[in-house]
Amino acid sequence: MAKAVIFDIDGTLLDSVDLHARAWVEAFRDFGHTVEFQEVRGQIGKGGDQLLPVFLSPAEIGSQGEGLEKHRSAIFKERYLPEVMAFPDVRRLFQRLLEHGMKVALASSAKGDELETYKQIAGIEDLIDAETSSDDADKSKPHPDIFEAAIQRLGAVPRAAIYVVGDTPYDAEAAGKAGLRTIGVTCGGWSEDELKRAGCIEVYADPADLLDRYDESPLAEPE
């Protein structure tokens, strides 16, 4: 029986993937690198530590990586953060989980300060039992560090009773390495087949779809 759910944020709770990709494209351009939007979009869900090596050499990362990441963050906050919106029924889904006696946690590759803003956008500041960000992990997804940190903060909840909800294969891969099962959502842009191949046990369209079909979902399974 599920006792806790750990949610990814970008692309899962918030419609923000395209906006993050645009910020990365512009940041790369400003540092002299041309990257395609779709290629970057396919990497959203990873933190900068895992995304940069896809496009830059080790030497380039050593000389430009830190500055490029900071520039990307500034671009996103100034140009795109005001456009970020929550997917429908995020708050209602969280309320349903809490009514069902579950703990709810967040585990995002976002920075800690971004996470605070995201909770406000989603309207869930008062519904969270635990949270982790990239500040709590040595390596971002698809490594399991962020989920391991969330597990610790959830307290005495067995891993078999914890589910992850995420929109990318990186969520499923990271959760699997931490011994957790993942429910996928396609609202971030990945297909049902792609998510299931990565290890998702069930896939829904978005948080509203998961809420609508909650009683038949793995989250409602009896002991």
Side-chain angles (χ1 to χ4, degrees):
M1 180 180 181
K3 297 185 182 299
V5 185
I6 303 173
F7 284 89
D8 170 62
I9 299 179
D10 288 303
T12 300
L13 304 179
L14 301 181
D15 189 1
S16 56
V17 175
D18 283 356
L19 303 176
H20 279 294
R22 290 177 195 166
W24 274 113
V25 168
E26 292 174 21
F28 275 117
R29 181 198 62 208
D30 291 346
F31 275 70
H33 304 281
T34 300
V35 298
E36 296 298 324
F37 172 82
Q38 283 301 135
E39 292 181 356
V40 176
R41 195 189 191 286
Q43 300 299 319
I44 302 301
K46 298 178 178 180
D49 64 310
Q50 301 300 309
L51 185 149
L52 288 175
V54 176
F55 302 101
L56 301 182
S57 69
E60 289 170 331
I61 293 172
S63 63
Q64 298 182 326
E66 183 177 354
L68 198 156
E69 279 202 75
K70 289 181 178 178
H71 186 49
R72 190 282 319 167
S73 180
I75 289 173
F76 180 77
K77 290 175 183 176
E78 293 171 8
R79 302 176 190 173
Y80 296 114
L81 186 56
E83 298 182 35
V84 175
M85 297 181 65
F87 289 117
D89 288 337
V90 169
R91 182 174 176 84
R92 287 183 59 216
L93 174 59
F94 277 46
Q95 290 172 326
R96 178 67 180 275
L97 291 167
L98 294 175
E99 289 166 1
H100 199 199
M102 284 196 245
K103 291 186 175 182
V104 179
L106 302 177
S108 172
S109 294
K111 298 293 185 183
D113 59 338
E114 295 175 349
L115 187 58
E116 291 303 313
T117 302
Y118 290 167
K119 289 190 296 183
Q120 294 173 15
I121 293 171
I124 54 174
E125 310 102 296
D126 57 329
L127 304 178
I128 305 299
D129 294 295
E131 62 188 57
T132 58
S133 68
S134 61
D135 299 337
D136 303 304
D138 291 332
K139 294 181 179 179
S140 65
K141 303 167 190 173
H143 294 277
D145 302 29
I146 291 173
F147 289 128
E148 291 287 355
I151 291 168
Q152 293 299 314
R153 294 187 181 180
L154 282 169
V157 181
R159 292 178 191 240
I162 302 173
Y163 284 84
V164 168
V165 177
D167 71 300
T168 73
Y170 315 125
D171 294 307
E173 292 169 22
K177 292 171 185 174
L180 307 178
R181 290 169 289 180
T182 302
I183 295 169
V185 288
T186 58
C187 45
W190 294 87
S191 71
E192 180 176 352
D193 285 345
E194 289 169 324
L195 294 175
K196 285 192 172 180
R197 282 200 301 269
C200 290
I201 59 170
E202 294 289 348
V203 177
Y204 298 85
D206 54 21
D209 185 33
L210 177 55
L211 177 62
D212 288 343
R213 296 195 280 156
Y214 184 90
D215 289 338
E216 63 190 64
S217 77
L219 300 179
E221 290 179 358
E223 290 187 82

